[in-house]
């Protein structure tokens, strides 16, 4: 019998939060075989799976930049994978690739649907393709350098500051000479941002006096606000905006799980303070991936930015709970599921 | 005894709506005399007073782009005035000027605080300095041509479409080849927008099915949204935004009177549709006033845009109720108070 491929599929669209055991269902099926490969294709095994806030939106059946996951289909997700067999000239067995494999152990990838690790100059570990040099790192690079453009001496505030994107965004802004203030969900995270990542200040939004603390941390108001969370934190940032502030709207994690989102009350500040608010999706900026990775790789190598990962062990079965926990803020830095440790022997299919 | 100058002064800051008889107080005092003029100064009498939504914000004691009006001070406001006496080389008695005279009949204006009518090429009547060629017209020009930049075939939606700025903004977008949809507060206004101003469609937001009507009027979604109102109309526009839509945030008239503004619930669309939302204040764009007036003057002269004014007769005493009514949408086009008809004999002070 062929080796089994564990897949996690969408069973039911959640209205609000993901319901473990109900939203997804596990299905074991025959793994693809090297004999099935056509020219240009490769067969991979997933090592690390990326858990991202944007995955929640793909569970909703509505107009968006990525088509919704269909009921019964394998859940979407990006991974760092190892090549088991190759009919591609680009990679050999044993090499690593980045691809949108989805939540499964094995997959045949067509030509043009994967990226060899060689596209990531300075890569140290396969999971770097998902974290600091991955899409979340590139997202931070793009939002800070191409939209927010903090200048030396300006005040840069980032929400979701301890997350995969926020932690990199704050470090890049610091490199650009800005005063950097992070907003995160625990005193421990705040301490980490200041002591380990070099932020100038950090505010725990779960503390009762967080609005006052944000005010104290931004005595010259906010020039650039990098938002990953939306909701009342965005509202508070609007209230602290300086004239001509740039608001980089990268995500609204506080609202993804809600069918009745919180209202933003300070939108009048967009006029009063002449704010430029710009939403973006990193897929629109593919032409700049190479530049972003090069700069990120250099900064990482020089120790100017630190990569940070929270890795969930235990295989693909942990992905569902991991995605739930992502919205509860369990992670510092990038949240990954270890589907298979790279040090283990490659599977034989 | 010197001739009297009627002034309308701020008596009490309103929490929500302006309270006639309470918010403002009338005070009669000695009018300034030509004998008081220093070199470069002029003495004017106000003919038309401009009523603008932004005046409401100046009654609040909070950080903004214009300092709040102080209790006891003459209310802020722009006017088209006639020169009664002049020690300026720029204007002669009998000529018209634009200036921020505030709510009073007579005022001495220092050098540099007034604009001669000659700065408005193609001016037909003094009140044109307040309406189509005035700041509201220039605001429409700036928001449409410098921020929204509608292209031929794109869908352009404007709220407060029957107002001073909205009615001009929609006409300019039409000139640029866009499909133009107005949102206004009565069937009569909607009919006027389509029949007289040439809008492609108009939606009465007071009709119970207005959201459905907006959907029907924007089958290809919204490329450019020019917002004058905020609140639930902005929310509805967010829901109908196309990818890479531009949201020109010019004003939030629905919220100015409220101490507890309505929340914007669809802010996630800023990310999903990669919206650029840009607030602006026309005072930042003074370098472009001349260009704007030239283009507006040409379009007016060629009949390509129509000017529209609602003029309140009865003098300065009507300004307070006029400002209240502005927020109730009594006007089609620019709302003005006629303090003195230009055909009357100039006052002798």
């Amino acid at each position: 019998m062929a080796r089994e491929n564990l897949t996690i599929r969408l069973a039911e669209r959640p209205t609000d939060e993901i319901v473990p055991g109900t939203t997804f269902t596990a299905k074991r099926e025959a793994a693809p075989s090297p004999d099935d490969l056509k020219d240009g294709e490769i067969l991979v095994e997933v090592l690390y799976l990326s858990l991202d806030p944007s995955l929640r939106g793909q569970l909703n059946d509505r107009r968006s930049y990525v088509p919704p996951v269909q009921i019964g289909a394998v859940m979407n997700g990006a991974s760092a994978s190892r090549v088991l067999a190759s009919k591609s000239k680009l990679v050999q067995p044993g090499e690593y690739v980045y691809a949108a494999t989805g939540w499964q152990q094995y997959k045949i990838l067509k030509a043009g649907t994967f990226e060899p690790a060689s596209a990531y100059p300075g890569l140290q570990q396969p999971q770097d393709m998902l974290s600091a040099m991955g899409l979340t790192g590139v997202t931070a690079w793009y939002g800070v350098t191409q939209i927010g453009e903090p200048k030396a001496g300006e005040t840069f505030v980032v929400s979701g500051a301890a997350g995969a994107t926020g932690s990199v965004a704050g470090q890049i802004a610091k490199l650009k000479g800005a005063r950097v203030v992070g907003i995160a969900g625990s005193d421990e995270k705040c301490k980490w941002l200041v002591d380990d990542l070099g932020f100038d200040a950090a505010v725990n939004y779960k503390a009762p006096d967080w609005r006052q603390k944000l005010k104290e941390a931004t005595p010259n108001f906010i020039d650039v606000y990098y938002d990953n969370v939306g909701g009342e934190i965005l509202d508070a940032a609007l209230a602290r905006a300086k004239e001509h502030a740039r608001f980089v709207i990268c995500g609204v994690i506080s609202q993804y799980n809600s069918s009745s989102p919180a209202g933003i009350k300070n939108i009048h500040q967009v006029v009063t303070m002449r704010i430029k608010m710009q939403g973006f999706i990193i897929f629109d900026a593919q032409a700049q991936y190479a530049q972003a990775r090069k700069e990120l790789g250099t900064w990482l190598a020089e120790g100017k930015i630190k990569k940070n990962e929270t890795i969930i062990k235990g295989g693909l079965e942990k992905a569902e709970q991991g995605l739930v926990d992502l919205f509860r803020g369990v992670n510092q830095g990038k949240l990954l599921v270890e589907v298979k440790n790279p040090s283990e022997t490659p599977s034989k299919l």
Side-chain angles (χ1 to χ4, degrees), chain A residues 61-74:
Chain A
D61 189 14
R62 71 175 172 212
R63 186 170 68 104
S64 191
Y65 56 95
V66 173
V69 179
Q70 296 304 306
I71 300 288
V74 174

Side-chain angles (χ1 to χ4, degrees), chain A residues 19-82:
Chain A
V19 187
T22 298
T23 301
F24 297 106
T25 184
K27 192 177 159 196
R28 289 171 195 278
E29 53 195 51
S33 154
D35 301 337
D36 302 332
L37 287 179
K38 301 192 186 77
D39 266 1
E41 294 183 344
I42 61 174
L43 172 60
V44 300
E45 66 177 350
V46 173
L47 303 176
Y48 291 98
L49 185 68
S50 176
L51 293 183
D52 299 281
S54 58
L55 293 177
R56 176 63 186 83
Q58 298 172 30
L59 304 180
N60 299 329
D61 189 14
R62 71 175 172 212
R63 186 170 68 104
S64 191
Y65 56 95
V66 173
V69 179
Q70 296 304 306
I71 300 288
V74 174
M75 177 58 186
N76 286 352
S79 71
S81 293
R82 175 158 52 194

Side-chain angles (χ1 to χ4, degrees), chain A residues 238-252:
Chain A
L238 281 165
R240 291 300 292 168
K242 198 186 316 200
E243 291 87 349
H244 306 289
R246 288 85 73 195
F247 272 50
V248 184
I249 310 296
C250 178
V252 287

